[in-house]
Amino acid sequence: MPRILALLIFPGFQLLDAAGPLGAFEAANDCVPGSYRLDILSRDGGLVPSSGGARLLSTPLSAAEAPDTLLIAGGTGVDAAAECPATRAWVMHQAGVARRTASVCSGAWLLASAGLLDGRKATTHWGRGPSFSRRFPAVQLDADKIFVRDGPLWTSAGITAGIDLALALIADDLGEAVARQVARQLVVYYRRPGGQSQFSEMADMQPPGSPFANLLDHVRRHLDERLDVDQLAALACMSPRNFSRRFVQEVGVTPARAVERLRVEAAAAALESSQEAVLAVARRCGFGDGERMRRAFLRVLGVPPSARRRAGA
């Protein structure tokens, strides 16, 4: 039987919060036919306007079947939805019977309003972080994360992070290989681990229009490959000497130090958000072995890899 994925929307929902995950689960059905049944729900049913004006046809909550996974979209209308007693009561009930419950972006506001996140770790769009913490002090908010899993409750950051969340849910159901296939079909990165910051230190270091932005994106996608100065200079179509000089001028660190930071950033995220073996993380992120990764962590973060694993526990 297909797993029922119920997406809850409301007037003023963010269209991409809905379309992104739905597209990922649709692609999963292409890879493994019959894996999911996608139901779009709203309190009253019918056509529901998004914040951008586009409308989605929905089934009323009163006619909805019990979902395997409940996913709540975010958007400017979430505040009104969270104030609706009928909507909150339905979410509370379904979260008690569904195998898992998740939110995209500000959809976490509805989960928190229903009391489902009290005492739990969660994330939301970084722009909502301060107001979220004031409104829901019992929630352990980390608004810097792409997504957070705390038992059966999953929350994700802003808008496109809903795709990262969907890929993680698909991996949880169908395995990493299928999730990778889905990411390839969607032409998105596979996949930013939940613990990864919404903001990349290296991205912050690059001034707007940096000529090395594409190169650093290449590095992020190929961390397990050889990435020495000669290799990077060739990719940038520059001599090694000129490349090294220009890179330091633009980015502020040497190419070797930038590669090391990106590898540490990716490895720390993997350790925080998964139970993947330390040696496997070290190899996938280009360190080769655990000891080299440990030394890099101490240089960049001042703590060993084990500390980041504990942080994600």
Side-chain angles (χ1 to χ4, degrees):
M1 295 291 291
R3 303 168 178 85
I4 298 177
L5 187 289
L7 173 68
L8 176 62
I9 60 175
F10 41 79
F13 73 96
Q14 163 57 241
L15 186 60
L16 194 54
D17 283 0
L22 286 176
F25 287 106
E26 177 189 1
N29 276 339
D30 290 339
C31 296
V32 184
S35 294
Y36 298 101
R37 194 185 89 191
L38 307 178
D39 293 347
I40 301 176
L41 310 177
S42 69
R43 187 189 66 181
D44 301 322
L47 288 171
V48 180
S50 68
S51 56
R55 297 168 181 261
L56 288 184
L57 184 62
S58 65
T59 299
L61 299 183
S62 59
E65 294 186 39
D68 170 77
T69 299
L70 171 62
L71 181 62
I72 299 172
T76 56
V78 73
D79 301 278
E83 293 298 317
C84 173
T87 301
R88 284 202 313 271
W90 185 86
V91 169
M92 290 176 65
H93 173 73
Q94 295 302 329
V97 297
R99 180 167 61 93
R100 61 192 178 191
T101 301
S103 65
V104 180
C105 195
S106 56
W109 198 276
L110 182 48
L111 291 181
S113 294
L116 296 171
L117 297 180
D118 287 356
R120 292 185 180 272
K121 298 177 182 178
T123 191
T124 189
H125 189 285
W126 62 267
R128 282 233 175 192
S131 58
F132 189 99
S133 293
R134 288 192 298 269
R135 176 67 177 79
F136 307 108
V139 180
Q140 301 173 36
L141 182 70
D142 189 344
D144 190 43
K145 295 293 188 268
I146 294 293
F147 66 83
V148 171
R149 177 183 186 179
D150 191 329
L153 291 168
W154 303 59
T155 52
S156 66
I159 307 178
T160 59
I163 297 175
D164 296 283
L165 172 67
L167 289 171
L169 294 172
I170 291 166
D172 192 51
D173 291 338
L174 305 177
E176 295 282 339
V178 173
R180 288 181 184 276
Q181 281 183 271
V182 171
R184 285 196 294 270
Q185 187 165 328
L186 297 178
V187 196
V188 297
Y189 290 123
Y190 180 82
R191 65 180 159 85
R192 295 180 294 177
Q196 183 168 323
S197 172
Q198 292 189 41
F199 309 100
S200 166
E201 177 187 5
M202 291 307 302
D204 291 343
M205 293 175 65
Q206 298 172 67
S210 169
F212 297 113
N214 290 337
L215 178 65
L216 289 174
D217 283 341
H218 173 89
V219 170
R220 290 186 184 92
R221 296 193 302 269
H222 300 85
L223 291 173
D224 60 338
E225 298 181 3
R226 177 185 171 187
L227 296 168
D228 58 24
V229 170
D230 289 344
Q231 176 79 3
L232 296 177
L235 290 170
C237 300
M238 301 170 70
S239 69
R241 182 176 179 180
N242 186 42
F243 168 74
S244 296
R245 179 179 59 80
R246 287 285 308 281
F247 191 93
V248 172
Q249 289 175 348
E250 293 285 342
V251 182
V253 296
T254 65
R257 190 64 67 196
V259 170
E260 181 179 63
R261 288 189 186 182
L262 290 174
R263 282 175 168 155
V264 167
E265 185 179 88
L271 292 171
E272 287 183 3
S273 63
S274 75
Q275 294 303 310
E276 188 176 4
V278 172
L279 182 57
V281 171
R283 288 173 174 168
R284 180 163 60 81
C285 294
F287 293 106
D289 59 63
E291 178 56 26
R292 286 182 61 193
M293 185 168 76
R294 189 187 71 84
R295 292 196 299 268
F297 266 61
L298 291 173
R299 279 193 298 270
V300 175
L301 302 177
V303 296
S306 58
R308 299 312 289 261
R309 168 130 292 169
R310 289 194 299 269

